[in-house]
Amino acid sequence: MTPYARRGVHGQTVEVLARRILGGEIAEGATLDLVALQSELDVSLTALRESLKVLAAKGMVDARQRRGTFVRPRAEWNLLDADVLRWQFEGASTSESDRALLHNLAEVRAIIEPAAVRLAAQRRTDADLVALDGALDAMGEEGGDAAHAVEADLAFHRALLAATHNELLERMEMVIESGLAHRDRIVHSAPHSEDPVPAHRAVLDAVRERDPQAAEAAMRALLDQAGRDLDRLDDAEDSATDSTADSEETEGSRSQ
């Protein structure tokens, strides 16, 4: 499904409602008060209904006579929809939920990307190599900010999936990209993360040589490195939480 265009009041209304539902502010099974929402969000009833149609297409809400518009059970949401994934990552309200999403993404990547890169090594074209080389060069540029590094990494993985020349695998970029972008923003902004360029270069070299086994091994090594980056983030979060708890306990003792 094509990602939803985030433009204008209509787009903003969709985003607000989606994040409230995904964050649990509007609970599963809850019936929406459209009049109250119209007033709160300062939109027309027509615009509100059109926004809800977008969420209905993603399995998040439904409307019935006598019941009105309500939030469907999470099990019925299209969690693999690119927008739903983006809303989850961008709207993660706690570090615990954020980290759970990142680890779910890591598991999905471990299933998809090693197999995909084998196909890429067998089927890549010269044009695919040009796209991969360009992305890798961008990753290695000095002086770039985190946003530049994120876009370069996304371009590399997008080009790898395209090099499989399998239309369904190419569409998996919509599943991987939102979460990968969120992960990259965190990792590239954190100190002491490993240089990603050598691991990506090893993948590209194997694809260039049309060596599926080496390509898969290199991709697994790249994913292992990504896992270590996540572990460091987990450790940093845990340390920060422990420090906050210790500080609060100390302050509490002093006030007694």
Side-chain angles (χ1 to χ4, degrees):
M1 182 178 290
T2 303
Y4 179 68
R6 296 170 280 172
R7 290 193 294 269
V9 174
H10 177 50
Q12 293 172 9
T13 304
V14 172
E15 301 259 327
V16 168
L17 293 174
R19 287 179 177 147
R20 288 185 183 183
I21 293 171
L22 286 162
E25 184 179 342
I26 304 177
E28 298 173 48
T31 298
L32 303 181
D33 186 336
L34 300 191
V35 174
L37 282 172
Q38 178 190 356
S39 176
E40 178 194 352
L41 301 176
D42 192 23
V43 296
S44 69
L45 188 57
T46 298
L48 180 58
R49 291 189 184 279
E50 289 300 313
S51 298
L52 290 169
K53 285 182 181 179
V54 174
L55 300 183
K58 299 176 187 299
M60 296 175 67
V61 301
D62 201 355
R64 301 279 171 81
Q65 285 186 347
R66 298 181 182 176
R67 182 175 179 181
T69 302
F70 61 94
V71 179
R72 299 175 68 182
R74 183 180 177 89
E76 298 176 5
W77 302 349
N78 186 359
L79 295 177
L80 292 181
D81 178 271
D83 289 317
V84 177
L85 281 166
R86 175 173 57 81
W87 291 327
Q88 285 189 93
F89 280 107
E90 292 182 355
S93 57
T94 67
S95 59
E96 184 177 351
S97 64
D98 201 23
R99 288 153 66 183
L101 284 168
L102 289 173
H103 284 286
N104 285 342
L105 170 69
E107 291 175 353
V108 170
R109 293 183 66 196
I111 293 169
I112 294 172
E113 293 194 274
V117 80
R118 290 184 66 94
L119 288 179
Q122 295 168 332
R123 299 175 178 177
R124 60 85 175 157
T125 64
D126 289 344
D128 293 325
L129 292 180
V130 169
L132 288 163
D133 280 327
L136 188 62
D137 288 344
M139 289 179 68
E141 290 177 359
E142 296 183 2
D145 58 13
H148 177 79
V150 169
E151 183 51 44
D153 191 30
L154 292 178
F156 185 91
H157 290 274
R158 195 182 300 126
L160 269 182
L161 290 174
T164 67
H165 296 278
N166 178 305
E167 288 185 338
L168 296 181
L169 277 174
E170 288 181 52
R171 297 301 185 275
M172 291 305 295
E173 76 169 81
M174 298 178 68
V175 175
I176 293 174
E177 189 162 316
S178 296
L180 185 57
H182 182 71
R183 172 206 166 276
D184 280 355
R185 281 193 293 270
I186 297 173
V187 169
H188 289 299
S189 298
H192 311 306
S193 59
E194 295 182 51
D195 181 1
V197 173
H200 285 75
R201 180 176 292 113
V203 171
L204 176 52
D205 288 345
V207 169
R208 193 188 312 277
E209 295 300 319
R210 298 189 186 275
D211 188 334
Q213 290 184 332
E216 179 179 350
M219 177 56 72
R220 291 193 184 280
L222 187 157
L223 293 174
D224 286 344
Q225 177 175 325
R228 291 192 297 273
D229 287 337
L230 271 186
D231 289 341
R232 274 191 289 273
L233 291 174
D234 287 346
D235 291 342
E237 282 284 348
D238 291 339
S239 295
T241 300
D242 291 343
S243 296
T244 300
D246 291 342
S247 177
E248 290 175 350
E249 183 177 345
T250 300
E251 289 298 323
S253 298
R254 289 174 179 171
S255 64
Q256 291 177 356

